[in-house]
Amino acid sequence: SYDKMFVEALTASGLPKTPYTVKRMAELTLVNVKKGLNLDPAQLAKIVREDYMNEQKALFGQADGNTLIELLGKEGVKKLSKAQLAQYKSSHTNSASKREVDEPKETKNPIDAWKAMKKRTRSLL
């Protein structure tokens, strides 16, 4: 029953169901029971996630680019690149569509055109 609770809690927290994360959940459950804390599996999974994130940030934050590539492997680097590209496209698509909404399509005179151009260049800086 613990295994099922751990897997559900890990899935809900977004953590992978690896032997390490399940083991960490079991260790925290043991500490939880010994200290009488009564934390539910979702709370324990949150602690595991925070620990995981802190460990990874400490490791990857200190590594240089080549070491990161080596640690992540080809598949990890591909996933990271795809995620960054999607974020970039999303942010630029959103800002471009916002400019289109904020600015009229046609300007009626040269002064309005000049003001619109100045407004666009300021938003890019």
Side-chain angles (χ1 to χ4, degrees):
S1 67
Y2 278 113
D3 188 42
K4 184 178 177 182
M5 288 188 309
F6 292 167
V7 169
E8 288 174 2
L10 289 171
T11 301
S13 72
L15 285 173
K17 297 166 285 234
T18 64
Y20 175 79
T21 55
V22 174
K23 177 184 172 198
R24 187 71 180 121
M25 285 286 291
E27 292 170 348
L28 283 178
T29 300
L30 182 61
V31 171
N32 185 38
V33 170
K34 283 183 178 179
K35 292 189 177 186
L37 298 174
N38 298 322
L39 297 174
D40 65 31
Q43 292 169 313
L44 295 174
K46 183 178 177 184
I47 294 168
V48 170
R49 181 177 174 79
E50 289 172 4
D51 287 349
Y52 227 174
M53 298 298 280
N54 289 332
E55 290 170 6
Q56 301 306 313
K57 286 178 185 178
L59 174 65
F60 295 134
Q62 298 299 317
D64 64 22
N66 290 331
T67 303
L68 280 174
I69 291 171
E70 188 177 333
L71 287 169
L72 293 174
K74 285 184 179 182
E75 288 303 312
V77 171
K78 284 181 185 178
K79 289 177 184 179
L80 181 62
S81 296
K82 285 182 181 180
Q84 286 181 313
L85 183 60
Q87 285 179 345
Y88 177 81
K89 286 181 178 179
S90 171
S91 67
H92 280 69
T93 301
N94 290 342
S95 63
S97 63
K98 183 181 177 203
R99 279 195 305 268
E100 289 174 9
V101 169
D102 290 345
E103 297 174 8
K105 293 277 184 189
E106 298 179 27
T107 43
K108 297 181 180 181
N109 63 47
I111 294 172
D112 290 339
W114 176 256
K115 288 179 183 177
M117 184 183 72
K118 282 177 65 177
K119 185 178 179 182
R120 277 194 303 267
T121 56
R122 283 188 190 140
S123 68
L124 295 175
L125 299 176

